[in-house]
Amino acid sequence: MAAAAGAAATSSHIAATTTASPSLTRVLAIRHGETDWNVAGRIQGHIDIPLNGRGRQQAAQLAAALAAEHIDVVISSDLLRARATAQAVVDEQNQPGRMQQLRRRHRQQQQQ
């Protein structure tokens, strides 16, 4: 499984839940594929930067590595880079409707 997680490595945005047996649930935290900003060392935050060619290849490799896994749900950020990586996994699983999207929100602390 370590090879699968390493296939797409930049920022953690995807969590895939798999059920190995009725009494065991595994959660896989997987990072989205590479973007041009990753290569340049730029911080992306909530800026919606898509995967580059290598990132799309990493997503495809990840999907192939997880093809034999039973995945119940894929949870992804709504940002392009995370969504594209997650969609590759969902497409390989041939399970449309298994992806849920999230947006992380930050609250400002009020100063007193």
Side-chain angles (χ1 to χ4, degrees), residues 37-85:
W37 280 33
N38 295 133
V39 175
R42 297 178 70 183
I43 296 173
Q44 298 165 108
H46 284 221
I47 300 170
D48 208 5
I49 307 300
L51 297 177
N52 62 19
R54 183 168 184 232
R56 288 187 296 276
Q57 181 181 31
Q58 290 169 334
Q61 290 171 337
L62 173 67
L66 294 176
E69 296 287 331
H70 173 79
I71 298 178
D72 295 315
V73 66
V74 175
I75 302 169
S76 169
S77 163
D78 63 346
L79 297 173
L80 290 172
R81 59 190 178 270
R83 194 171 66 233
T85 305

Side-chain angles (χ1 to χ4, degrees), residues 64-107:
L66 294 176
E69 296 287 331
H70 173 79
I71 298 178
D72 295 315
V73 66
V74 175
I75 302 169
S76 169
S77 163
D78 63 346
L79 297 173
L80 290 172
R81 59 190 178 270
R83 194 171 66 233
T85 305
Q87 191 64 54
V89 173
V90 170
D91 290 348
E92 182 70 31
Q93 294 279 319
N94 198 22
Q95 296 286 335
R98 296 281 174 131
M99 186 163 64
Q100 299 175 13
Q101 295 180 5
L102 301 175
R103 170 53 64 109
R104 185 171 48 180
R105 295 179 187 213
H106 298 279
R107 292 189 338 194

